[in-house]
Amino acid sequence: MMQMLFAGGVACVGEWPAFESSASMFGSFDPNAFAALRGQATKLVGPADLPTGDMPKHIVIWLDREPHEQAKSQLKMVSVMFSGVATNRRSIRSMVAGIRSERSTNMAAVGAKSRCPTLVMSFERLLTQPAGAAETIAAFLQEHGYEQLNVTAMRRQVRPRSPTCFPGMMEIDLLETPAPIGHPRPSPGRPEAI
């Protein structure tokens, strides 16, 4: 999602390809810096653990994923980082239960579908219908103050594959790919953050 936004012309916090900044994670999240963002997208992982505040002018793109596949993907990453992590049916079931129970709390923390304009998009749709997903995202952003986005560039960020858990580590493969050139600048009147 962040790669699509960046390619389309939205300024993004963090670095390509993951756009995961320590400033948007538990322990180093600064609610004042978050509130001061103008026209930038920031990726929040586990927003229920972050003091996001009221978010009076923010908009939200909530990216959902089928819990079973998300659990397999998260366990795969954890097992690469820490040896000895079990990736079996029991650990997957436990992770799925956690994902399902935390979804509403995380959505509430960022005002998704309540106090902030929200687009809910599925990870599976991004992969299986990249053109339609890019058009939907662009239309949502334009509805909330963003200028024309490059929908073709957004669509091109999607690597054709099955939405099931990727067998390798695409995140690491992407580190070897050069980032797109250019950093879009926010313009006045854009919402504070996505």
Side-chain angles (χ1 to χ4, degrees):
M1 175 64 76
M2 295 297 287
Q3 292 168 25
M4 291 177 80
L5 293 171
F6 182 77
V10 176
C12 295
V13 175
E15 295 182 11
W16 193 93
F19 294 100
E20 289 181 0
S21 164
S22 62
S24 64
M25 308 239 178
F26 180 76
S28 56
F29 183 83
D30 180 350
N32 295 323
F34 180 67
L37 291 174
R38 296 288 185 272
Q40 296 177 296
T42 186
K43 178 179 180 179
L44 299 181
V45 178
D49 297 326
L50 306 175
T52 54
D54 291 337
M55 299 171 52
K57 297 181 182 177
H58 292 62
I59 62 174
V60 175
I61 298 177
W62 180 267
L63 188 61
D64 252 340
R65 186 171 187 186
E66 193 282 318
H68 188 261
E69 295 301 326
Q70 183 178 353
K72 290 193 307 187
S73 181
Q74 288 179 347
L75 284 168
K76 176 183 65 175
M77 180 143 332
V78 170
S79 68
V80 167
M81 294 171 22
F82 306 101
S83 61
V85 173
T87 307
N88 54 36
R89 283 186 282 183
R90 182 177 179 192
S91 59
I92 291 170
R93 275 195 310 270
S94 176
M95 182 76 77
V96 166
I99 290 167
R100 286 187 173 140
S101 70
E102 294 171 357
R103 182 180 187 269
S104 61
T105 307
N106 280 311
M107 288 187 89
V110 292
K113 298 171 69 173
S114 59
R115 66 184 191 274
C116 294
T118 304
L119 171 66
V120 176
M121 176 76 58
S122 76
F123 178 78
E124 292 77 13
R125 181 176 178 207
L126 285 182
L127 292 180
T128 61
Q129 303 169 21
E135 288 172 8
T136 299
I137 295 163
F140 174 74
L141 294 178
Q142 289 167 359
E143 183 181 317
H144 295 286
Y146 281 78
E147 299 166 2
Q148 185 73 27
L149 298 177
N150 186 337
V151 175
T152 302
M154 292 172 71
R155 176 182 45 78
R156 287 184 182 148
Q157 297 308 302
V158 179
R159 293 178 179 222
R161 70 177 185 86
S162 165
T164 59
C165 183
F166 187 71
M169 291 296 293
M170 187 176 288
E171 297 86 350
I172 293 174
D173 295 345
L174 284 174
L175 291 174
E176 299 171 3
T177 307
I181 297 173
H183 294 271
R185 298 173 192 228
S187 66
R190 286 186 176 177
E192 286 187 9
I194 300 172

